[in-house]
Amino acid sequence: MSYTSQEISPLQKERLNYQPKLAGVLAQGINNIRLNLNESTEAVADKEEIQKLFPQVYGKPIARFCQEGSELSNEQKNVGVILSGGQAPGGHNVIAGLFDALKTANPDNKLYGFLGGPSGIVEGEYIELTENKINEYRNTGGFDIIGSGRTKLETESQFKKALEVCKSLNIKAIVIIGGDDSNTNACLLAQWMAENNTGITVIGCPKTIDGDLKNDQIEISFGFDTATKTYAELIGNIQRDANSAKKYWHFIKLMGRSASHVALEVALQTQPNITLIGEEVEARKQSLDEIVEYIANIIALRAKKGKNFGVALIPEGLIEFIPEMKTMIASLNDILAHLEKNEDYQYLAQDKKYEMITSRLDEQSAKLFTSLPSSIKAQLLMDRDPHGNVQVSRIETEKLIIEMVRTKLNIWKSQGRYQGKFSDLAHFFGYEGRCAMPSNFDADYCYSLGYNAFALIQAGLTGYLSSIKNTTKPASEWVAGGVPLTMMMNMEKRHGEMKPVIKKALVELEGPVFKALEDNREKWAMNDCFVFPGSIQYFGPSSVCDITTITLQLEQEKQLVNV
Ligand code: FBP
């Protein structure tokens, strides 16, 4: 066979032709669905402050699309779409669903894609998304159709510029596809557009591989399904290798900026020897040293059985859950927020920066900061993202833990408590999963979210998040609607100031998902119960291709029991 260079892979070619399934009533077509509104809602916490900040969009009712109810408008509308924050598999299908709904409703409707994330709308950088363009990206991973970014939309001048751009393109609605921070942006923009009587509405779509944008109304954020399956495949492969060579301990850090849902889901799919869960560490008030002791103990016990190998999962957000680290990071955030404006600090040599920082920390945090390796110190001082978050993906927690475990094992060796051999390998899985080709679940879910977003626009709603529920059932039984964004908000400290933000969903230690890990982890630590999930399957039996995450299945079962 001679090789000819190709533009797309055979699988990608097949996937371009995959027709995603639409949720329940949406399958009847945008022109045949009707709106139902429930009772008014309230913010999840800090109700008064949130109401004050969002008077026009606060407390709206939950929306649901059905066969009966109020008709949607069929007015001609141009829409602008923004991809915001970290990439997540399925983003292109949200745009494809939005496009198909918008063109079915009226072929004169136009869809504009703002380039490079929220900054695109402020700077007037856009392209028109045409049928040809959309067709190139159907069922593909990535956000490259228009790119993404993390600019925070919050100032009057940004909103005014966005309005000018929208007016010039006759845009009547904006769809922001993003996580908790990006949907907070969506809510701020919706409020501003409403209070200035612009006639422009704003709808959000729940995206993040981290899985922490969920609540009673939002069952899962898109991308979580594909990303966790991708990591589970890689971890399964590593477990096979560990089990074959029997000579390495693999320490694998997994993405999940705050919550540990990714690590937990992947653990249930692969059954490794050790899984740390940040939320548990916080609840048990475990110190870094106690965590290291826990890991070293399992390594020593396995070594006694002649097993000098294993796999340990570490969520990337762990560092912020360790109480002493959390306190130190919170102080660092405040200190850095002030030093950002201090030019002298910017030009200081690294060791002088450490000195200045240490002198501003309280005694305990200063001691902890000083004890850390300088690579970790530097990573902790890196710029915060535009929303004020520490960039935990860039902190090498896995290496810090390996170093501390090695030191502990050496001490135990000198005391005769450990006779094993410790060879470690560090991995970080995050970016590997964020742009994977979406699983059937994400392809269908995202297409439905986008289609549904246009239904919310035609319903005249603003400040809503597109919602598709009942997602463990076949797509024909999925329920489409919208949730007011203010319903998910509370006040949190960012960049040293209290700000309204969408409340993140952390791992519930009393919930069925964590319990499944808790009930099994002792067994998994000592016996090798590794599971090797293999790669995502797109074609084949539905029992393999269409199943979603263990997390979602356990959470939905619990809801059924509670009903
Ligand atoms: P979102 O919350 O925007 O979806 O991003 C999540 C995430 O993938 C985290 O898991 C990770 O810490 C972060 O993005 C990395 O961000 P960046 O792409 O800026 O390096």
Side-chain angles (χ1 to χ4, degrees):
M1 176 202 154
S2 65
Y3 177 78
T4 349
S5 107
Q6 50 187 357
E7 277 174 13
I8 56 172
S9 73
L11 177 60
Q12 200 184 333
K13 205 168 182 182
E14 284 301 323
R15 286 306 279 174
L16 288 179
N17 297 323
Y18 174 75
Q19 180 52 52
K21 300 181 232 18
L22 264 179
V25 73
L26 300 183
Q28 304 194 359
I30 188 78
N31 300 320
N32 301 313
I33 57 180
R34 302 285 178 266
L35 171 72
N36 284 259
L37 292 173
N38 294 347
E39 281 153 28
S40 56
T41 57
E42 287 193 321
V44 67
D46 308 311
K47 296 181 179 125
E48 277 177 24
E49 286 101 315
I50 303 290
Q51 184 163 18
K52 233 185 248 165
L53 290 165
F54 299 95
Q56 258 84 6
V57 294
Y58 184 83
K60 299 273 176 66
I62 289 174
R64 182 171 170 173
F65 294 115
C66 305
Q67 281 173 301
E68 307 290 328
S70 325
E71 283 202 18
L72 307 187
S73 136
N74 55 8
E75 207 183 292
Q76 189 276 325
K77 270 195 187 121
N78 293 346
V79 175
V81 63
I82 297 171
L83 286 166
S84 181
Q87 283 68 249
H92 290 156
N93 268 26
V94 179
I95 298 182
L98 176 63
F99 178 85
D100 289 351
L102 162 151
K103 288 289 179 188
T104 309
N106 185 339
D108 291 335
N109 288 342
K110 286 186 179 170
L111 180 61
Y112 293 99
F114 290 108
L115 302 176
S119 62
I121 194 168
V122 176
E123 284 152 23
E125 305 253 313
Y126 64 88
I127 52 167
E128 184 181 342
L129 292 164
T130 58
E131 181 82 41
N132 283 345
K133 185 86 182 163
I134 296 283
N135 288 347
E136 274 177 53
Y137 289 90
R138 289 183 190 269
N139 308 306
T140 57
F143 278 9
D144 41 325
I145 189 169
I146 49 174
S148 187
R150 291 196 185 275
T151 301
K152 182 154 178 59
L153 292 179
E154 59 178 349
T155 65
E156 179 82 10
S157 83
Q158 285 175 318
F159 295 152
K160 281 186 174 157
K161 283 191 196 153
L163 176 61
E164 270 170 39
V165 173
C166 288
K167 274 187 178 163
S168 70
L169 297 169
N170 194 24
I171 285 177
K172 289 281 186 282
I174 301 162
V175 175
I176 298 186
I177 303 170
D180 50 340
D181 288 329
S182 315
N183 278 296
T184 300
N185 284 355
C187 201
L188 290 166
L189 188 61
Q191 169 59 31
W192 190 88
M193 291 290 178
E195 76 193 20
N196 289 286
N197 299 314
T198 62
I200 296 174
T201 57
V202 185
I203 299 296
C205 284
K207 169 238 72 169
T208 176
I209 62 151
D210 293 2
D212 54 8
L213 175 47
K214 63 176 173 184
N215 47 52
D216 289 347
Q217 306 301 325
I218 303 295
E219 294 177 355
I220 183 169
S221 56
F222 80 75
F224 181 72
D225 183 87
T226 311
T228 50
K229 282 178 176 144
T230 306
Y231 305 139
E233 180 204 350
L234 297 174
I235 289 163
N237 296 349
I238 285 180
Q239 291 186 153
R240 268 279 200 232
D241 198 292
N243 212 21
S244 308
K246 302 196 187 301
K247 61 178 180 181
Y248 294 123
W249 262 96
H250 295 267
F251 286 74
I252 306 169
K253 184 175 79 163
L254 285 156
M255 264 193 183
R257 187 151 45 95
S258 305
S260 311
H261 299 294
V262 172
L264 181 53
E265 169 64 25
V266 169
L268 297 180
Q269 287 189 35
T270 59
Q271 306 186 173
N273 306 104
I274 297 172
T275 305
L276 301 178
I277 297 296
E279 291 81 342
E280 183 186 26
V281 164
E282 182 173 52
R284 292 180 169 214
K285 300 192 173 47
Q286 279 177 294
S287 66
L288 191 52
D289 193 53
E290 283 166 341
I291 296 168
V292 168
E293 173 107 14
Y294 167 74
I295 297 174
N297 206 26
I298 293 177
I299 294 176
L301 287 172
R302 283 179 64 85
K304 268 195 191 151
K305 288 183 150 195
K307 296 179 180 184
N308 287 302
F309 67 94
V311 172
L313 304 188
I314 302 165
E316 71 172 2
L318 176 78
I319 196 144
E320 287 195 281
F321 281 110
I322 303 171
E324 76 239 39
M325 285 278 185
K326 190 178 180 169
T327 312
M328 182 188 72
I329 291 174
S331 308
L332 287 177
N333 288 348
D334 287 346
I335 295 170
L336 291 172
H338 289 107
L339 288 179
E340 251 171 26
K341 295 151 207 155
N342 179 335
E343 283 199 9
D344 294 343
Y345 172 77
Q346 306 301 336
Y347 295 109
L348 281 181
Q350 201 68 331
D351 54 336
K352 295 283 169 213
K353 278 189 180 172
Y354 297 160
E355 268 174 32
M356 185 182 272
I357 298 274
T358 314
S359 69
R360 294 178 184 211
L361 286 168
D362 68 37
E363 201 186 325
Q364 222 189 347
S365 294
K367 202 168 148 208
L368 176 60
F369 187 73
T370 314
S371 74
L372 295 171
S374 53
S375 57
I376 302 285
K377 278 192 197 122
Q379 289 157 12
L380 280 167
L381 297 190
M382 271 182 305
D383 287 345
R384 274 40 186 163
D385 77 7
H387 300 267
N389 302 308
V390 179
Q391 298 190 54
V392 280
S393 64
R394 304 186 57 189
I395 301 177
E396 294 174 316
T397 323
E398 71 285 16
K399 294 193 180 156
L400 174 66
I401 289 182
I402 288 174
E403 274 318 303
M404 294 181 72
V405 166
R406 195 202 313 281
T407 309
K408 180 135 314 218
L409 290 173
N410 284 339
I411 296 173
W412 287 358
K413 201 168 239 179
S414 69
Q415 297 167 343
R417 193 176 154 189
Y418 166 71
Q419 270 96 37
K421 192 168 170 296
F422 180 63
S423 292
D424 58 271
L425 284 171
H427 311 259
F428 169 35
F429 293 153
Y431 299 97
E432 293 79 352
R434 294 201 314 181
C435 285
M437 197 179 277
S439 60
N440 284 355
F441 175 84
D442 269 328
D444 298 346
Y445 181 54
C446 290
Y447 187 74
S448 298
L449 282 173
Y451 202 96
N452 185 59
F454 189 69
L456 293 168
I457 291 170
Q458 291 300 71
L461 300 171
T462 190
Y464 275 70
L465 193 60
S466 178
S467 136
I468 302 290
K469 292 178 71 174
N470 214 20
T471 48
T472 47
K473 295 277 159 42
S476 57
E477 294 173 41
W478 291 359
V479 175
V483 194
L485 283 161
T486 52
M487 193 181 171
M488 306 169 202
M489 295 186 112
N490 68 165
M491 303 295 291
E492 285 174 26
K493 200 170 194 186
R494 296 290 169 90
H495 277 308
E497 274 176 60
M498 291 307 281
K499 299 253 176 172
V501 287
I502 291 181
K503 192 172 169 23
K504 277 187 200 298
L506 300 180
V507 168
E508 281 179 22
L509 300 181
E510 292 309 316
V513 193
F514 180 73
K515 288 277 171 220
L517 174 73
E518 204 176 30
D519 291 349
N520 288 291
R521 62 183 164 192
E522 255 180 58
K523 186 171 73 189
W524 298 348
M526 297 313 297
N527 309 317
D528 300 324
C529 305
F530 302 141
V531 172
F532 318 106
S535 59
I536 296 176
Q537 299 296 306
Y538 301 94
F539 304 100
S542 183
S543 59
V544 178
C545 300
D546 296 328
I547 43 160
T548 181
T549 60
I550 298 174
T551 303
L552 187 57
Q553 292 179 49
L554 290 174
E555 283 173 351
Q556 292 307 301
E557 267 170 31
K558 180 192 123 194
Q559 293 220 343
L560 288 180
V561 172
N562 288 347
V563 169

